[in-house]
Amino acid sequence: FDDQEEQQRYRKSRRGADLPQLLIGILLFFIGALIPKYYFQSHNDKLLETVPPFQVTSSGDTILDFLLNDELVDPPTIPSSLLTWTSVWIPVMLLVIVESLALPRRPAIVVGAFLFAIGVSEGVTQSIKLIVHRKRPNFYQLCGFQLSTRTCTASPERIREAQFSFPSGHSSLSACCTVFLSLFLVAKTIHSQRLNTTQKRLMAWMICTLLWGWSLLVAVSRLVDHWHHPSDIVAGLLLGSVVAG
């Protein structure tokens, strides 16, 4: 009876200690995911004054930068809404379920750490975009460039978005989620007492293959859809992986 009471008191004390870490993770998640992207980027009017790159020949013809003249694919293969669900909300639910079935049960710690990593990754990614201002491969079409006036005529949001190519936000977010989930699920698999060595190895390979397969699909889609240069994608994958690791 005494042991049961001590265990109950221990669980309650751990829940109380875990809650602040969860709240810190949630707070940083919203700060990193929302403030740089929806406040600083949307209020950066200097981007609207950017002169599109072009050259005018002696005969009056306009020459555009071929690296920025790719076709605009909109909506993209993997839209932001699908990425958010597969890289944030579904992983959160998965972490809660898996950790709730384990002993000791500390889902608040795990979810807090995951949201912390996502918040840092998103905050760093969006901040770098604000500093670099690299134009996307589909810059001319995205900003609504008109040859007659040689100016961008699209909405302010699209003109700004056309200059946020580096690094790839889709790649950094998917990589951060993939590395975190891979480390977490593989660790749970290795320490499982229900599986033998062969089953653990097979399960670990399956987990890594599925997660990294999806992350690489997201990254490649940004290249195929002409939303990013190759170096943008590589930088995004590295950034997300380092933050989660």
Side-chain angles (χ1 to χ4, degrees), residues 134 137 165-166 168 171 222-223 228-237:
R134 187 181 192 183
S165 187
F166 183 89
S168 168
S171 300
R222 303 303 284 174
L223 184 64
H228 287 287
H229 305 278
S231 55
D232 303 336
I233 295 170
V234 172
L237 290 173

Side-chain angles (χ1 to χ4, degrees), residues 189-190 192 194-204:
T189 301
I190 292 175
S192 174
R194 300 178 181 179
L195 303 175
N196 57 40
T197 302
T198 302
Q199 291 173 330
K200 289 179 180 179
R201 290 177 179 174
L202 179 61
M203 185 66 68

Side-chain angles (χ1 to χ4, degrees), residues 85 87-97 111 114-115 181:
W85 271 102
S87 297
V88 180
W89 306 126
I90 292 178
V92 165
M93 291 185 283
L94 179 63
L95 291 172
V96 170
I97 293 172
V111 172
F114 176 73
L115 294 177
L181 283 183

